[in-house]
Amino acid sequence: MTAENTERPILAVTLGDPVGIGPEITARTLAEPEATEQARPLAVGDAAVLRRAIEVCKLDAEVNPVESVAQARFVPGVIDVLDLGIAPADLPWGKVDGTAGRAAVAAIEAATRAALAGEVDAVVTSPINKEAIWAAGSKHLGHTEMLGELTGSTRFNTMFWVRGLKIFFATRHLSLREALDEITKPNIEHSIREAYTALQVFGTREPKLAVAALNPHGGENGKFGDEEIVAIAPAVEATRAEGLDVVGPIPADSVFHQGLEGRFDGVLSLYHDQGHIASKTVDFHGTVSVTVGLPILRTSVDHGTAFDIAGTGRADPGTMRAAFRAAVELAPFAGKLREVYPPAAP
């Protein structure tokens, strides 16, 4: 952690889309005494937006706008915010807005710069709206791709962490049809190696990784599809020959349950919804998204902006609390991340 690993980690927490639920769940989380007991939290976004969220949520908290991390006070009852001055407080709740998108992008950029500079130990992100960031001129599909570009990383991927189990993804933001085309032996081998490395980076010295099957019952020896035979099993065998403790393919209707029972440290999901449904069904509010392959630590909520309830004060902050706690727990590994996934040269 910052300051020779002797102090509570400094966490940069972005407000997300100003007209979504991000400001509300951030305000609720950072206003709790536990936040400053566990870490030194710094909101990143607009002070006006944060004040509006505090009012909506009827919180007793003071907002302290700062221009740098060094100016933050990190005391109970006060939410320090790196004030970017982009979004006004009167943007309509729950509407796609280019200004809101620009504010969300700017917050991610500012938090990432601080992490790369070693000013903060981790970045915790609130949800953004893809249409809004596109309206602001961003071409990225989401947070992860944006962070990859900002850090110069080409290895970035998503890891879900739920009840001790880490879930990785061989494919992510693709249509299901496109994802199926990506299930090849070389691609699965690469995904296995990256997942295995991430497990080691986050403290599991001798991890055991399971690979989910693609087809029902694991394909039934080719009767329900041959991807297990031609791609997945050969990839598992190849990586086992390299010394990795990997098993599979295991039918997807049981592998995640087995992982939650403790049989595996991680599970490689083959497509977006396969892993998302499993993790969010078992614990929607406790599932945390961690971006792996970056030189910085980033955790995030695993849901969207919930425009339908934004501004009502009803948003459940459970996911943000979980992401915040995960960042505290993983902060000691921030140095290892920079070592294994070094930032691109300027």
Side-chain angles (χ1 to χ4, degrees):
M1 301 178 195
T2 301
E4 300 179 343
N5 286 345
T6 60
E7 298 184 274
R8 293 165 295 150
I10 301 177
L11 307 184
V13 186
T14 65
L15 296 181
D17 191 298
V19 298
I21 64 171
E24 296 170 60
I25 61 176
T26 300
R28 286 192 182 279
T29 300
L30 301 193
E32 296 171 344
E34 292 82 359
T36 49
E37 291 172 3
Q38 298 170 346
R40 291 175 286 169
L42 174 68
V44 182
D46 294 287
V49 170
L50 183 58
R51 288 193 182 98
R52 180 167 76 157
I54 288 173
E55 181 179 351
V56 162
C57 296
K58 298 179 173 58
L59 300 173
D60 182 16
E62 174 190 343
V63 174
N64 178 39
V66 299
E67 296 179 357
S68 68
V69 179
Q71 294 177 352
R73 292 157 58 186
F74 303 126
V75 295
V78 176
I79 302 179
D80 300 297
V81 55
L82 189 62
D83 187 14
L84 304 181
I86 295 174
D90 59 354
L91 289 176
W93 289 108
K95 304 291 185 182
V96 174
D97 186 281
T99 298
R102 185 162 62 89
V105 171
I108 297 164
E109 293 172 341
T112 302
R113 285 195 300 269
L116 287 172
E119 297 172 345
V120 302
D121 297 290
V123 175
V124 184
T125 57
S126 293
I128 59 176
N129 181 276
K130 292 179 174 58
E131 288 185 68
I133 67 168
W134 294 338
S138 174
K139 304 300 181 184
H140 297 292
L141 293 176
H143 265 121
T144 304
E145 294 80 7
M146 194 183 308
L147 289 163
E149 180 176 294
L150 291 170
T151 60
S153 172
T154 57
R155 298 175 66 178
F156 58 86
N157 210 324
T158 295
M159 177 183 85
F160 271 12
W161 190 13
V162 56
R163 298 190 182 180
L165 178 66
K166 296 176 174 67
I167 299 174
F168 302 87
F169 297 85
T171 64
R172 293 179 60 255
H173 290 146
L174 297 172
S175 71
L176 184 56
R177 174 65 268 163
E178 291 172 313
L180 295 176
D181 293 336
E182 294 297 313
I183 306 302
T184 65
K185 179 175 178 288
N187 287 351
I188 300 304
E189 282 186 34
H190 174 76
S191 296
I192 289 171
R193 295 188 190 104
E194 289 293 285
Y196 205 85
T197 297
L199 287 169
Q200 292 176 317
V201 166
F202 287 121
T204 306
R205 295 184 60 184
E206 298 180 353
K208 188 176 186 68
L209 177 71
V211 180
L214 177 68
N215 294 299
H217 305 176
E220 290 283 13
N221 295 317
K223 292 184 176 62
F224 300 155
D226 65 359
E227 287 85 357
E228 286 77 14
I229 296 171
V230 302
I232 305 169
V236 170
E237 292 168 7
T239 50
R240 285 185 61 84
E242 297 170 7
L244 279 61
D245 189 357
V246 186
V247 296
I250 298 175
D253 61 1
S254 60
V255 68
F256 298 101
H257 172 70
Q258 292 174 14
L260 288 165
E261 286 188 322
R263 298 192 198 181
F264 317 116
D265 301 294
V267 174
L268 178 62
S269 167
L270 299 185
Y271 57 93
H272 183 281
D273 283 8
Q274 187 180 60
H276 276 245
I277 292 171
S279 60
K280 293 179 181 180
T281 298
V282 72
D283 192 346
F284 185 90
H285 295 296
T287 297
V288 176
S289 175
V290 182
T291 306
V292 297
L294 300 178
I296 64 171
L297 173 61
R298 178 256 179 160
T299 68
S300 180
V301 301
D302 67 345
H303 58 71
T305 50
F307 276 174
D308 58 324
I309 62 169
T312 67
R314 299 188 351 244
D316 189 325
T319 50
M320 176 53 78
R321 289 175 184 148
F324 188 90
R325 288 193 301 267
V328 173
E329 188 169 342
L330 296 177
F333 302 108
K336 187 69 172 177
L337 287 171
R338 187 176 288 264
E339 176 187 328
V340 176
Y341 311 112

